[in-house]
Amino acid sequence: MTDRPMLPIIPSATAPTRPATLLHDRTPDLIDVGAHQLCPGCGEPVALRAIVEAVAELDLTRACVAVFGIGCYTAFSNNLDIEVVQALHGRAPSVATGLVRARPELTVLTVQGDGDMVNEGLQEVLHAAARGERIACFMLDNGVLGETGGHMTAATPLGQRTKNTLEGRDAARHGHPIELSDLVARLDGTRYVARGAVNSAVNVHRTKKLIHGALRARQHGFALVEILTMCPTGWFVDTTEAPDYLVQRRGPDQILGVVKDTTRPTT
Ligand code: SF4
């Protein structure tokens, strides 16, 4: 028998009266599981959490349908306690259009990556915005096609590392990025556009407010929030470096905050 030091015995009279906080206690009501299988340090679960928390906070849960695109985040499409419809690559805004036109009392939102929205479905999102469809689209923007290997997307900022731009995206070789938020903001059917990020607690907090803004604005017309997310795997950086790399790789035009809001009264 080994001599082990005795652990101090806490008298029950001074033991904490509050029960321990479990992982489950910190999981938002609308996410069914506390664990996921995305890479450590991935920003997509953080962004998704902010979206479902906003849905719950605005009391939209029972009349909300989320249309998912295809990417790493699609792993959550079976784990949410709201109605989810799975769309084909890039087609989520078109599926959402059909849903909201058939059931206008519903809050219909899309969850897509930048590969899904800007590469595969640029036509869908631009036309939905131009038509002024009453949907809220959320683009999780990490500048890579993460699920299929970490390749460059049309939205990848200049200088960002991806699997096929290891030295950084170069305009002469790879073309210029498409700044979707700025493009969509120019369309008259668009009522609200904003850009957030999830690389820090304060940015998550601000992004949640932008999500609230989009969910309210979609009652009047098209709304889009671009959420910059970390992809340490696709960026070839250490998990701990990814929040800072998000700042470094952000394009000069990717200013955080509200890009357009026509729902506010003008003075
Ligand atoms: S590849 Fe990137 S986007 Fe996909 S789960 Fe990993 S970190 Fe997230």
Side-chain angles (χ1 to χ4, degrees):
M1 212 174 133
T2 54
D3 281 341
R4 286 196 182 151
M6 290 284 290
L7 290 172
I9 295 172
I10 301 173
S12 56
T14 59
T17 52
R18 281 193 330 183
T21 303
L22 306 175
L23 180 61
H24 177 75
D25 299 327
R26 295 193 180 279
T27 306
D29 290 345
L30 298 184
I31 293 182
D32 288 339
V33 294
H36 60 76
Q37 296 184 329
L38 273 61
C39 308
C42 178
E44 293 189 343
V46 186
L48 203 53
R49 176 182 182 133
I51 295 168
V52 295
E53 282 183 347
V55 167
E57 285 159 9
L58 293 174
D59 201 18
L60 299 171
T61 308
R62 293 296 147 217
C64 178
V65 181
V67 184
F68 268 61
I70 295 180
C72 298
Y73 54 87
T74 311
F76 280 91
S77 61
N78 289 327
N79 297 336
L80 298 187
D81 197 14
I82 54 176
E83 297 296 335
V84 173
V85 176
Q86 181 63 59
L88 292 174
H89 298 83
R91 308 297 178 250
S94 300
V95 174
T97 296
L99 273 166
V100 82
R101 288 194 177 204
R103 297 283 305 275
E105 76 280 12
L106 295 178
T107 296
V108 182
L109 59 93
T110 76
V111 178
Q112 301 171 259
D114 53 300
D116 188 86
M117 192 179 273
V118 187
N119 281 60
E120 296 152 346
L122 184 62
Q123 169 173 298
E124 270 70 16
V125 68
L126 288 182
H127 283 257
R131 292 193 305 267
E133 301 295 347
R134 297 183 179 203
I135 59 176
C137 291
F138 298 104
M139 176 170 78
L140 315 185
D141 182 2
N142 53 23
V144 296
L145 290 152
E147 192 196 20
T148 46
H151 299 86
M152 186 191 95
T153 74
T156 303
L158 293 178
Q160 183 186 310
R161 224 172 13 248
T162 70
K163 184 174 269 182
N164 55 335
T165 63
L166 287 173
E167 304 301 321
R169 181 173 185 170
D170 170 53
R173 289 189 66 201
H174 310 114
H176 291 272
I178 295 174
E179 298 291 355
L180 185 74
S181 293
D182 299 336
L183 203 55
V184 166
R186 291 184 194 178
L187 301 172
D188 289 340
T190 305
R191 301 303 301 266
Y192 185 91
V193 179
R195 187 182 292 108
V198 294
N199 62 320
S200 68
V202 69
N203 277 344
V204 172
H205 179 72
R206 288 175 179 156
T207 299
K208 183 105 80 76
K209 288 188 173 174
L210 302 175
I211 295 167
H212 275 237
L215 289 172
R216 289 198 184 95
R218 64 102 228 148
Q219 297 168 27
H220 308 286
F222 186 85
L224 169 76
V225 181
E226 173 185 355
I227 306 175
L228 304 181
T229 58
M230 294 79 73
C231 177
T233 307
W235 296 348
F236 301 94
V237 300
D238 192 80
T239 296
T240 57
E241 295 167 8
D244 287 340
Y245 189 71
L246 184 147
V247 178
Q248 290 170 30
R249 51 75 74 173
R250 213 171 81 201
D253 298 329
Q254 290 182 309
I255 297 163
L256 302 185
V258 175
V259 178
K260 177 181 183 179
D261 184 358
T262 64
T263 63
R264 289 169 184 261
T266 50
T267 50

PDB file of all heavy atoms in Angstrom, residues 8-40:
ATOM      1  N   PRO A   8      -7.868  17.080   2.048  1.00  0.00           N
ATOM      2  CA  PRO A   8      -8.559  17.743   3.158  1.00  0.00           C
ATOM      3  C   PRO A   8     -10.058  17.460   3.103  1.00  0.00           C
ATOM      4  O   PRO A   8     -10.640  17.399   2.018  1.00  0.00           O
ATOM      5  CB  PRO A   8      -8.267  19.230   2.917  1.00  0.00           C
ATOM      6  CG  PRO A   8      -7.910  19.335   1.490  1.00  0.00           C
ATOM      7  CD  PRO A   8      -7.306  18.023   1.091  1.00  0.00           C
ATOM      8  N   ILE A   9     -10.640  17.244   4.222  1.00  0.00           N
ATOM      9  CA  ILE A   9     -12.082  17.000   4.272  1.00  0.00           C
ATOM     10  C   ILE A   9     -12.784  18.332   4.524  1.00  0.00           C
ATOM     11  O   ILE A   9     -12.480  19.045   5.485  1.00  0.00           O
ATOM     12  CB  ILE A   9     -12.431  15.993   5.392  1.00  0.00           C
ATOM     13  CG1 ILE A   9     -11.802  14.644   5.042  1.00  0.00           C
ATOM     14  CG2 ILE A   9     -13.944  15.867   5.561  1.00  0.00           C
ATOM     15  CD1 ILE A   9     -11.894  13.635   6.137  1.00  0.00           C
ATOM     16  N   ILE A  10     -13.690  18.698   3.575  1.00  0.00           N
ATOM     17  CA  ILE A  10     -14.418  19.965   3.742  1.00  0.00           C
ATOM     18  C   ILE A  10     -15.632  19.692   4.615  1.00  0.00           C
ATOM     19  O   ILE A  10     -16.463  18.842   4.277  1.00  0.00           O
ATOM     20  CB  ILE A  10     -14.873  20.513   2.372  1.00  0.00           C
ATOM     21  CG1 ILE A  10     -13.651  20.730   1.478  1.00  0.00           C
ATOM     22  CG2 ILE A  10     -15.661  21.806   2.527  1.00  0.00           C
ATOM     23  CD1 ILE A  10     -13.997  21.116   0.062  1.00  0.00           C
ATOM     24  N   PRO A  11     -15.743  20.355   5.730  1.00  0.00           N
ATOM     25  CA  PRO A  11     -16.930  20.147   6.570  1.00  0.00           C
ATOM     26  C   PRO A  11     -18.195  20.482   5.796  1.00  0.00           C
ATOM     27  O   PRO A  11     -18.225  21.472   5.065  1.00  0.00           O
ATOM     28  CB  PRO A  11     -16.728  21.123   7.738  1.00  0.00           C
ATOM     29  CG  PRO A  11     -15.331  21.592   7.647  1.00  0.00           C
ATOM     30  CD  PRO A  11     -14.864  21.385   6.241  1.00  0.00           C
ATOM     31  N   SER A  12     -19.194  19.625   5.907  1.00  0.00           N
ATOM     32  CA  SER A  12     -20.397  19.830   5.103  1.00  0.00           C
ATOM     33  C   SER A  12     -21.049  21.180   5.390  1.00  0.00           C
ATOM     34  O   SER A  12     -21.727  21.743   4.542  1.00  0.00           O
ATOM     35  CB  SER A  12     -21.402  18.700   5.322  1.00  0.00           C
ATOM     36  OG  SER A  12     -21.693  18.616   6.697  1.00  0.00           O
ATOM     37  N   ALA A  13     -20.800  21.729   6.570  1.00  0.00           N
ATOM     38  CA  ALA A  13     -21.424  23.011   6.902  1.00  0.00           C
ATOM     39  C   ALA A  13     -20.893  24.136   6.011  1.00  0.00           C
ATOM     40  O   ALA A  13     -21.570  25.130   5.768  1.00  0.00           O
ATOM     41  CB  ALA A  13     -21.173  23.353   8.365  1.00  0.00           C
ATOM     42  N   THR A  14     -19.630  23.968   5.491  1.00  0.00           N
ATOM     43  CA  THR A  14     -19.051  25.032   4.651  1.00  0.00           C
ATOM     44  C   THR A  14     -19.002  24.640   3.166  1.00  0.00           C
ATOM     45  O   THR A  14     -18.447  25.363   2.351  1.00  0.00           O
ATOM     46  CB  THR A  14     -17.618  25.362   5.104  1.00  0.00           C
ATOM     47  OG1 THR A  14     -16.836  24.173   5.013  1.00  0.00           O
ATOM     48  CG2 THR A  14     -17.590  25.912   6.513  1.00  0.00           C
ATOM     49  N   ALA A  15     -19.552  23.483   2.833  1.00  0.00           N
ATOM     50  CA  ALA A  15     -19.543  23.056   1.432  1.00  0.00           C
ATOM     51  C   ALA A  15     -20.428  23.988   0.604  1.00  0.00           C
ATOM     52  O   ALA A  15     -21.396  24.544   1.126  1.00  0.00           O
ATOM     53  CB  ALA A  15     -20.074  21.621   1.333  1.00  0.00           C
ATOM     54  N   PRO A  16     -20.077  24.205  -0.706  1.00  0.00           N
ATOM     55  CA  PRO A  16     -20.905  25.099  -1.523  1.00  0.00           C
ATOM     56  C   PRO A  16     -22.341  24.597  -1.589  1.00  0.00           C
ATOM     57  O   PRO A  16     -22.578  23.390  -1.700  1.00  0.00           O
ATOM     58  CB  PRO A  16     -20.250  25.022  -2.900  1.00  0.00           C
ATOM     59  CG  PRO A  16     -18.972  24.315  -2.727  1.00  0.00           C
ATOM     60  CD  PRO A  16     -18.991  23.602  -1.436  1.00  0.00           C
ATOM     61  N   THR A  17     -23.249  25.504  -1.515  1.00  0.00           N
ATOM     62  CA  THR A  17     -24.668  25.108  -1.571  1.00  0.00           C
ATOM     63  C   THR A  17     -25.166  25.014  -3.001  1.00  0.00           C
ATOM     64  O   THR A  17     -26.117  24.314  -3.300  1.00  0.00           O
ATOM     65  CB  THR A  17     -25.548  26.122  -0.807  1.00  0.00           C
ATOM     66  OG1 THR A  17     -25.231  27.422  -1.299  1.00  0.00           O
ATOM     67  CG2 THR A  17     -25.302  26.059   0.690  1.00  0.00           C
ATOM     68  N   ARG A  18     -24.470  25.730  -3.934  1.00  0.00           N
ATOM     69  CA  ARG A  18     -24.915  25.681  -5.336  1.00  0.00           C
ATOM     70  C   ARG A  18     -24.372  24.427  -5.995  1.00  0.00           C
ATOM     71  O   ARG A  18     -23.200  24.075  -5.802  1.00  0.00           O
ATOM     72  CB  ARG A  18     -24.399  26.896  -6.092  1.00  0.00           C
ATOM     73  CG  ARG A  18     -25.221  28.144  -5.833  1.00  0.00           C
ATOM     74  CD  ARG A  18     -24.885  29.195  -6.820  1.00  0.00           C
ATOM     75  NE  ARG A  18     -23.504  29.104  -7.282  1.00  0.00           N
ATOM     76  CZ  ARG A  18     -22.960  29.960  -8.114  1.00  0.00           C
ATOM     77  NH1 ARG A  18     -23.677  30.930  -8.588  1.00  0.00           N
ATOM     78  NH2 ARG A  18     -21.713  29.848  -8.489  1.00  0.00           N
ATOM     79  N   PRO A  19     -25.165  23.721  -6.804  1.00  0.00           N
ATOM     80  CA  PRO A  19     -24.626  22.550  -7.513  1.00  0.00           C
ATOM     81  C   PRO A  19     -23.598  22.985  -8.553  1.00  0.00           C
ATOM     82  O   PRO A  19     -23.607  24.131  -9.009  1.00  0.00           O
ATOM     83  CB  PRO A  19     -25.874  21.944  -8.180  1.00  0.00           C
ATOM     84  CG  PRO A  19     -26.868  23.052  -8.221  1.00  0.00           C
ATOM     85  CD  PRO A  19     -26.561  23.987  -7.089  1.00  0.00           C
ATOM     86  N   ALA A  20     -22.698  22.068  -8.909  1.00  0.00           N
ATOM     87  CA  ALA A  20     -21.663  22.380  -9.903  1.00  0.00           C
ATOM     88  C   ALA A  20     -22.316  22.702 -11.239  1.00  0.00           C
ATOM     89  O   ALA A  20     -23.375  22.168 -11.579  1.00  0.00           O
ATOM     90  CB  ALA A  20     -20.731  21.189 -10.051  1.00  0.00           C
ATOM     91  N   THR A  21     -21.677  23.588 -12.036  1.00  0.00           N
ATOM     92  CA  THR A  21     -22.185  23.896 -13.369  1.00  0.00           C
ATOM     93  C   THR A  21     -21.668  22.839 -14.339  1.00  0.00           C
ATOM     94  O   THR A  21     -20.462  22.596 -14.421  1.00  0.00           O
ATOM     95  CB  THR A  21     -21.698  25.283 -13.820  1.00  0.00           C
ATOM     96  OG1 THR A  21     -22.124  26.237 -12.848  1.00  0.00           O
ATOM     97  CG2 THR A  21     -22.274  25.651 -15.172  1.00  0.00           C
ATOM     98  N   LEU A  22     -22.575  22.183 -15.012  1.00  0.00           N
ATOM     99  CA  LEU A  22     -22.199  21.137 -15.960  1.00  0.00           C
ATOM    100  C   LEU A  22     -22.167  21.711 -17.376  1.00  0.00           C
ATOM    101  O   LEU A  22     -22.735  22.783 -17.636  1.00  0.00           O
ATOM    102  CB  LEU A  22     -23.211  19.989 -15.891  1.00  0.00           C
ATOM    103  CG  LEU A  22     -23.442  19.402 -14.504  1.00  0.00           C
ATOM    104  CD1 LEU A  22     -24.542  18.364 -14.548  1.00  0.00           C
ATOM    105  CD2 LEU A  22     -22.148  18.787 -13.975  1.00  0.00           C
ATOM    106  N   LEU A  23     -21.494  20.998 -18.286  1.00  0.00           N
ATOM    107  CA  LEU A  23     -21.431  21.423 -19.680  1.00  0.00           C
ATOM    108  C   LEU A  23     -22.840  21.635 -20.225  1.00  0.00           C
ATOM    109  O   LEU A  23     -23.136  22.599 -20.919  1.00  0.00           O
ATOM    110  CB  LEU A  23     -20.694  20.362 -20.503  1.00  0.00           C
ATOM    111  CG  LEU A  23     -20.533  20.658 -21.995  1.00  0.00           C
ATOM    112  CD1 LEU A  23     -19.725  21.921 -22.214  1.00  0.00           C
ATOM    113  CD2 LEU A  23     -19.878  19.489 -22.696  1.00  0.00           C
ATOM    114  N   HIS A  24     -23.729  20.724 -19.869  1.00  0.00           N
ATOM    115  CA  HIS A  24     -25.104  20.802 -20.350  1.00  0.00           C
ATOM    116  C   HIS A  24     -25.756  22.135 -19.963  1.00  0.00           C
ATOM    117  O   HIS A  24     -26.545  22.705 -20.710  1.00  0.00           O
ATOM    118  CB  HIS A  24     -25.911  19.628 -19.795  1.00  0.00           C
ATOM    119  CG  HIS A  24     -27.359  19.673 -20.175  1.00  0.00           C
ATOM    120  ND1 HIS A  24     -27.797  19.359 -21.443  1.00  0.00           N
ATOM    121  CD2 HIS A  24     -28.449  20.043 -19.469  1.00  0.00           C
ATOM    122  CE1 HIS A  24     -29.111  19.515 -21.498  1.00  0.00           C
ATOM    123  NE2 HIS A  24     -29.529  19.928 -20.308  1.00  0.00           N
ATOM    124  N   ASP A  25     -25.403  22.620 -18.755  1.00  0.00           N
ATOM    125  CA  ASP A  25     -26.000  23.868 -18.278  1.00  0.00           C
ATOM    126  C   ASP A  25     -25.594  25.055 -19.137  1.00  0.00           C
ATOM    127  O   ASP A  25     -26.266  26.080 -19.161  1.00  0.00           O
ATOM    128  CB  ASP A  25     -25.570  24.153 -16.828  1.00  0.00           C
ATOM    129  CG  ASP A  25     -26.033  23.051 -15.895  1.00  0.00           C
ATOM    130  OD1 ASP A  25     -27.105  22.479 -16.166  1.00  0.00           O
ATOM    131  OD2 ASP A  25     -25.314  22.763 -14.925  1.00  0.00           O
ATOM    132  N   ARG A  26     -24.460  24.931 -19.813  1.00  0.00           N
ATOM    133  CA  ARG A  26     -23.969  26.040 -20.623  1.00  0.00           C
ATOM    134  C   ARG A  26     -24.357  25.901 -22.091  1.00  0.00           C
ATOM    135  O   ARG A  26     -23.987  26.727 -22.917  1.00  0.00           O
ATOM    136  CB  ARG A  26     -22.441  26.138 -20.509  1.00  0.00           C
ATOM    137  CG  ARG A  26     -21.976  26.486 -19.107  1.00  0.00           C
ATOM    138  CD  ARG A  26     -20.518  26.873 -19.110  1.00  0.00           C
ATOM    139  NE  ARG A  26     -20.071  27.216 -17.778  1.00  0.00           N
ATOM    140  CZ  ARG A  26     -20.261  28.396 -17.199  1.00  0.00           C
ATOM    141  NH1 ARG A  26     -20.905  29.343 -17.836  1.00  0.00           N
ATOM    142  NH2 ARG A  26     -19.807  28.628 -15.982  1.00  0.00           N
ATOM    143  N   THR A  27     -25.031  24.829 -22.441  1.00  0.00           N
ATOM    144  CA  THR A  27     -25.438  24.623 -23.827  1.00  0.00           C
ATOM    145  C   THR A  27     -26.745  25.356 -24.082  1.00  0.00           C
ATOM    146  O   THR A  27     -27.687  25.189 -23.309  1.00  0.00           O
ATOM    147  CB  THR A  27     -25.635  23.119 -24.110  1.00  0.00           C
ATOM    148  OG1 THR A  27     -24.433  22.437 -23.739  1.00  0.00           O
ATOM    149  CG2 THR A  27     -25.921  22.870 -25.575  1.00  0.00           C
ATOM    150  N   PRO A  28     -26.814  26.196 -25.117  1.00  0.00           N
ATOM    151  CA  PRO A  28     -28.077  26.898 -25.391  1.00  0.00           C
ATOM    152  C   PRO A  28     -29.236  25.920 -25.559  1.00  0.00           C
ATOM    153  O   PRO A  28     -29.037  24.795 -26.038  1.00  0.00           O
ATOM    154  CB  PRO A  28     -27.787  27.630 -26.704  1.00  0.00           C
ATOM    155  CG  PRO A  28     -26.327  27.691 -26.823  1.00  0.00           C
ATOM    156  CD  PRO A  28     -25.784  26.501 -26.106  1.00  0.00           C
ATOM    157  N   ASP A  29     -30.424  26.366 -25.195  1.00  0.00           N
ATOM    158  CA  ASP A  29     -31.608  25.495 -25.242  1.00  0.00           C
ATOM    159  C   ASP A  29     -31.827  24.877 -26.619  1.00  0.00           C
ATOM    160  O   ASP A  29     -32.322  23.767 -26.741  1.00  0.00           O
ATOM    161  CB  ASP A  29     -32.859  26.300 -24.869  1.00  0.00           C
ATOM    162  CG  ASP A  29     -32.840  26.660 -23.400  1.00  0.00           C
ATOM    163  OD1 ASP A  29     -32.037  26.056 -22.657  1.00  0.00           O
ATOM    164  OD2 ASP A  29     -33.615  27.552 -23.005  1.00  0.00           O
ATOM    165  N   LEU A  30     -31.466  25.605 -27.672  1.00  0.00           N
ATOM    166  CA  LEU A  30     -31.805  25.127 -29.010  1.00  0.00           C
ATOM    167  C   LEU A  30     -30.744  24.216 -29.611  1.00  0.00           C
ATOM    168  O   LEU A  30     -30.859  23.790 -30.743  1.00  0.00           O
ATOM    169  CB  LEU A  30     -32.055  26.319 -29.946  1.00  0.00           C
ATOM    170  CG  LEU A  30     -33.222  27.218 -29.536  1.00  0.00           C
ATOM    171  CD1 LEU A  30     -33.450  28.301 -30.561  1.00  0.00           C
ATOM    172  CD2 LEU A  30     -34.485  26.397 -29.347  1.00  0.00           C
ATOM    173  N   ILE A  31     -29.669  23.917 -28.856  1.00  0.00           N
ATOM    174  CA  ILE A  31     -28.685  22.938 -29.329  1.00  0.00           C
ATOM    175  C   ILE A  31     -28.856  21.686 -28.485  1.00  0.00           C
ATOM    176  O   ILE A  31     -28.816  21.738 -27.255  1.00  0.00           O
ATOM    177  CB  ILE A  31     -27.255  23.488 -29.225  1.00  0.00           C
ATOM    178  CG1 ILE A  31     -27.079  24.662 -30.218  1.00  0.00           C
ATOM    179  CG2 ILE A  31     -26.227  22.401 -29.534  1.00  0.00           C
ATOM    180  CD1 ILE A  31     -25.695  25.271 -30.249  1.00  0.00           C
ATOM    181  N   ASP A  32     -29.074  20.550 -29.137  1.00  0.00           N
ATOM    182  CA  ASP A  32     -29.419  19.318 -28.429  1.00  0.00           C
ATOM    183  C   ASP A  32     -28.226  18.646 -27.773  1.00  0.00           C
ATOM    184  O   ASP A  32     -28.390  17.834 -26.890  1.00  0.00           O
ATOM    185  CB  ASP A  32     -30.074  18.314 -29.397  1.00  0.00           C
ATOM    186  CG  ASP A  32     -31.479  18.746 -29.767  1.00  0.00           C
ATOM    187  OD1 ASP A  32     -32.060  19.536 -29.008  1.00  0.00           O
ATOM    188  OD2 ASP A  32     -31.977  18.292 -30.798  1.00  0.00           O
ATOM    189  N   VAL A  33     -27.018  18.909 -28.228  1.00  0.00           N
ATOM    190  CA  VAL A  33     -25.848  18.233 -27.670  1.00  0.00           C
ATOM    191  C   VAL A  33     -24.815  19.254 -27.219  1.00  0.00           C
ATOM    192  O   VAL A  33     -24.731  20.345 -27.763  1.00  0.00           O
ATOM    193  CB  VAL A  33     -25.186  17.283 -28.697  1.00  0.00           C
ATOM    194  CG1 VAL A  33     -26.099  16.132 -29.052  1.00  0.00           C
ATOM    195  CG2 VAL A  33     -24.777  18.048 -29.941  1.00  0.00           C
ATOM    196  N   GLY A  34     -24.019  18.875 -26.214  1.00  0.00           N
ATOM    197  CA  GLY A  34     -22.998  19.792 -25.722  1.00  0.00           C
ATOM    198  C   GLY A  34     -21.666  19.610 -26.421  1.00  0.00           C
ATOM    199  O   GLY A  34     -20.768  20.427 -26.265  1.00  0.00           O
ATOM    200  N   ALA A  35     -21.505  18.543 -27.182  1.00  0.00           N
ATOM    201  CA  ALA A  35     -20.221  18.252 -27.833  1.00  0.00           C
ATOM    202  C   ALA A  35     -20.408  18.228 -29.349  1.00  0.00           C
ATOM    203  O   ALA A  35     -21.496  17.983 -29.849  1.00  0.00           O
ATOM    204  CB  ALA A  35     -19.691  16.913 -27.350  1.00  0.00           C
ATOM    205  N   HIS A  36     -19.339  18.514 -30.074  1.00  0.00           N
ATOM    206  CA  HIS A  36     -19.401  18.402 -31.525  1.00  0.00           C
ATOM    207  C   HIS A  36     -18.059  17.869 -32.018  1.00  0.00           C
ATOM    208  O   HIS A  36     -17.111  17.746 -31.239  1.00  0.00           O
ATOM    209  CB  HIS A  36     -19.694  19.760 -32.162  1.00  0.00           C
ATOM    210  CG  HIS A  36     -18.667  20.801 -31.864  1.00  0.00           C
ATOM    211  ND1 HIS A  36     -17.433  20.841 -32.482  1.00  0.00           N
ATOM    212  CD2 HIS A  36     -18.662  21.830 -30.984  1.00  0.00           C
ATOM    213  CE1 HIS A  36     -16.732  21.844 -32.022  1.00  0.00           C
ATOM    214  NE2 HIS A  36     -17.442  22.466 -31.104  1.00  0.00           N
ATOM    215  N   GLN A  37     -17.965  17.551 -33.302  1.00  0.00           N
ATOM    216  CA  GLN A  37     -16.751  16.932 -33.814  1.00  0.00           C
ATOM    217  C   GLN A  37     -16.008  17.839 -34.778  1.00  0.00           C
ATOM    218  O   GLN A  37     -15.218  17.376 -35.588  1.00  0.00           O
ATOM    219  CB  GLN A  37     -17.104  15.598 -34.468  1.00  0.00           C
ATOM    220  CG  GLN A  37     -17.654  14.615 -33.452  1.00  0.00           C
ATOM    221  CD  GLN A  37     -17.928  13.269 -34.040  1.00  0.00           C
ATOM    222  OE1 GLN A  37     -18.267  13.165 -35.214  1.00  0.00           O
ATOM    223  NE2 GLN A  37     -17.780  12.235 -33.243  1.00  0.00           N
ATOM    224  N   LEU A  38     -16.279  19.128 -34.722  1.00  0.00           N
ATOM    225  CA  LEU A  38     -15.516  20.049 -35.565  1.00  0.00           C
ATOM    226  C   LEU A  38     -14.132  20.253 -34.947  1.00  0.00           C
ATOM    227  O   LEU A  38     -13.914  19.929 -33.775  1.00  0.00           O
ATOM    228  CB  LEU A  38     -16.271  21.367 -35.729  1.00  0.00           C
ATOM    229  CG  LEU A  38     -17.292  21.379 -36.886  1.00  0.00           C
ATOM    230  CD1 LEU A  38     -18.373  20.341 -36.703  1.00  0.00           C
ATOM    231  CD2 LEU A  38     -17.915  22.758 -37.031  1.00  0.00           C
ATOM    232  N   CYS A  39     -13.198  20.801 -35.725  1.00  0.00           N
ATOM    233  CA  CYS A  39     -11.810  20.939 -35.249  1.00  0.00           C
ATOM    234  C   CYS A  39     -11.754  21.836 -34.008  1.00  0.00           C
ATOM    235  O   CYS A  39     -12.530  22.794 -33.896  1.00  0.00           O
ATOM    236  CB  CYS A  39     -10.935  21.587 -36.315  1.00  0.00           C
ATOM    237  SG  CYS A  39     -11.005  20.810 -37.921  1.00  0.00           S
ATOM    238  N   PRO A  40     -10.804  21.577 -33.098  1.00  0.00           N
ATOM    239  CA  PRO A  40     -10.609  22.501 -31.982  1.00  0.00           C
ATOM    240  C   PRO A  40     -10.298  23.897 -32.505  1.00  0.00           C
ATOM    241  O   PRO A  40      -9.516  24.049 -33.435  1.00  0.00           O
ATOM    242  CB  PRO A  40      -9.391  21.915 -31.238  1.00  0.00           C
ATOM    243  CG  PRO A  40      -9.313  20.504 -31.674  1.00  0.00           C
ATOM    244  CD  PRO A  40      -9.864  20.454 -33.079  1.00  0.00           C
TER     245      PRO A  40
END
